[in-house]
Each structure stands twice: as C-alpha cells, then as structure tokens.
Amino acid sequence: MKYKLFALSNSEAYAKGIASALNVTLGNLLTRTYSDGEINVEFEESIRGETIVIAAQIQLPYHNLFELFVAIDAARRASAKEIICVIPYLTHSRQERKDDTRSAISSRLIADFIEHAGASRVITFDMHSTAIMGFYKIPIDHLSMNRIYTEHIKYNFKSESLCLCSPDFGGLKRIKAYKSLLNCDMAVIHKERLSPNQINSMEIIGDVKNKDVVIVDDMIDTGGTLTKACELLKSNGAKSVTAYCTHGVLSGNAINNISASAIDKLYISDTIPQSKLSKNIEVISSIKLTAKAIEFIIAGKSLMELND
Ligand code: R5P
C-alpha cells in the first residue's frame, strides 16, 4: 500500500467512508485521555517511512483540534515520511483578518500550529476565504461542494424559476461560480452585523418574486443569517427558499430555529459530523470527493478535474 489512513477519535465514520471508497483498511490510532482531560495519542503500528493520511474533523470543542496537533506530532516522531491531514472544515476560518483594534487573527494561529506540528499537506473544503491558504507554507488542496451541489440543484429546480442568492457580499464570488454552471438569475443580500452571530439589518438586491430561491453559503452556524434571509426573501415574494451550505456548524439552538423557520430545505455536507437533524435538514456527502482527492494526490495527479 502506498499510504496508510488513520482517523482522530471523532472522525472515524468519515474515515471509514473514505476507506471503503478507496478499498483500504483504516489503521489503528489510539487516543487515550488522562483523568484531567489531557490527550495521549499513539500509532499502534509502524509508520516509519510511510505516507500517512489523518482524517481530522476539528470542529469545536477544542479537544478535536488539540488531538490533531498531538497526532501530527506523534506521526512526525514515529518517522512518517509525509503527513497528509484531511481537515474538511477548518475551524476559526471566520477570524482570518483583524477587524477590531486589538483582536487576533486566530485562523492564522491554527495554520501555524498545524504546520509547526509537522503536517506536510492539508486537504480541506470550501474555505470561508481562500486568502487563508496564504497562512500556510505547506500545500493546501482546496476542494469544493460546488459541483455536487450544482448537480443537485439542476436535478431539483427549473432554471427559468431559479434564483441563486448570496446571503452577504462575501459570498458573491461563490454565487457567480454557481451561476456560470446553472445559467439562472441571481440576487444578493446586504447584511450588516452588530457582533459575531448577531445581525443588524438585511436588504435584498435583485428580484426574487415568484422565484425558487437557492441560498448558497460556506457555513451555517446559529442559522441567524439563513432564517433572517429566508423571512426577507419570502416577504419579497419568493415561492420557495432552499439553502446549500457546506459546513453545518449548527451551534446553539440552530436546529430548532431552522425547523421552526419557513426554510423549505437546508442541505449541508458531512464535513462536520451530525447526530440528530430536523426534517428540513439533509446531508449530502463529501466523502467520495475526499477519497478521489486522496487517490489523485497519492498518484501525483492534478485535482483540477475534481473541482471545475
Ligand atoms: C459569514 O460570513 C458566513 O459565510 C456565514 O453566513 C455565517 O457564518 C453564518 O453564521 P450564522 O448561521 O450564525 O448566521
């Protein structure tokens, strides 16, 4: 075998999906916890001179992120040749710039930790901003749910009645990429925030009357952006409102709020593991694409054809 696949403790389901798509077995990576919560990670087989792939879903709590740092360090000290980290969702990606006078750029800090621990390469999905790639000196293979989602949209909506919508100006580039594949109308919402997770005002630019509106976003966290956008779109005559978000952070009361909202359907991917969702939330898998990317990287093949 040209590489060995491992998983952090909470990424086993994702890694098993990759293993089955690639027809490989999952290696044994053991994580133990001291009684005070300190993590101890051990590779239970030799990885000397090997390329290893670690599936690492590092959404909060911070335990997941720290387990990744420790696993990379263990791999480096066990003389792995190359350490490929599959980090489908890069936490802290919304803090990629210094917006306030004395705040941190914590997305950069995470990049430094991953790199200093010894990672050779990161595979990730739909970054909040592609500028984050510049925080790393190691290669970042940036995958996108665009193609999977646009195929799904094509199958479910007629282009005459379809209107793509970005819930903020930051997502305009993403919407334009979808528009070029779907050939339909588009709208954008001007959103102003009071503080993180708190929206002040929203205004639609574009005509959504009698349209099946499809909102596309990189992530859904509290659901505040989506539920507010949905109310605004429906009050402006939208026939239906569906959303496609890559990362289902779904913190706090998000699931109940989405369930109680007028959103017809929310599609998220499995970059973050989910347990119980409401009826109007469905998961579309990213695993086959991740597996293909691993296969291409190991074979030294370009990833262009996976993303265009
Ligand atoms: C913001 O720039 C992001 O793209 C998402 O729109 C945002 O993080 C979603 O957060 P929430 O669901 O808490 O409104």
Side-chain angles (χ1 to χ4, degrees), residues 94 128 168 191 193 197 217-225:
R94 285 170 290 185
H128 182 63
D168 53 38
K191 171 173 93 175
R193 279 201 187 277
N197 293 131
D217 211 347
D218 59 324
M219 69 169 80
I220 173 155
D221 183 358
T222 61
T225 303

Side-chain angles (χ1 to χ4, degrees), residues 186-253:
M186 64 177 266
V188 60
I189 292 176
H190 174 56
K191 171 173 93 175
E192 271 177 23
R193 279 201 187 277
L194 274 176
S195 59
N197 293 131
Q198 257 201 305
I199 299 159
N200 186 12
S201 67
M202 275 186 163
E203 190 188 331
I204 306 176
I205 300 166
D207 183 12
V208 295
K209 198 154 189 239
N210 295 325
K211 294 281 184 184
D212 290 309
V213 178
V214 165
I215 296 177
V216 182
D217 211 347
D218 59 324
M219 69 169 80
I220 173 155
D221 183 358
T222 61
T225 303
L226 183 57
T227 50
K228 271 211 163 205
C230 179
E231 274 168 31
L232 184 66
L233 290 162
K234 288 221 166 160
S235 68
N236 276 267
K239 195 162 60 167
S240 69
V241 177
T242 306
Y244 289 77
C245 303
T246 300
H247 309 294
V249 179
L250 298 174
S251 70
N253 220 16

Side-chain angles (χ1 to χ4, degrees), residues 235-279:
S235 68
N236 276 267
K239 195 162 60 167
S240 69
V241 177
T242 306
Y244 289 77
C245 303
T246 300
H247 309 294
V249 179
L250 298 174
S251 70
N253 220 16
I255 297 177
N256 289 339
N257 292 342
I258 291 158
S259 167
S261 76
I263 295 157
D264 294 86
K265 198 80 168 183
L266 161 65
Y267 294 100
I268 52 173
S269 80
D270 50 3
T271 54
I272 296 176
Q274 305 294 340
S275 43
K276 209 163 171 269
L277 295 171
S278 60
K279 266 198 200 140

Side-chain angles (χ1 to χ4, degrees), residues 58-89:
I58 58 161
Q59 67 289 336
L60 271 51
Y62 287 112
H63 174 101
N64 295 323
L65 185 60
F66 207 81
E67 191 184 350
L68 171 64
F69 301 149
V70 178
I72 299 171
D73 188 67
R76 189 172 48 82
R77 292 176 196 280
S79 305
K81 185 179 75 185
E82 195 186 12
I83 305 163
I84 301 175
C85 300
V86 176
I87 310 177
Y89 166 63

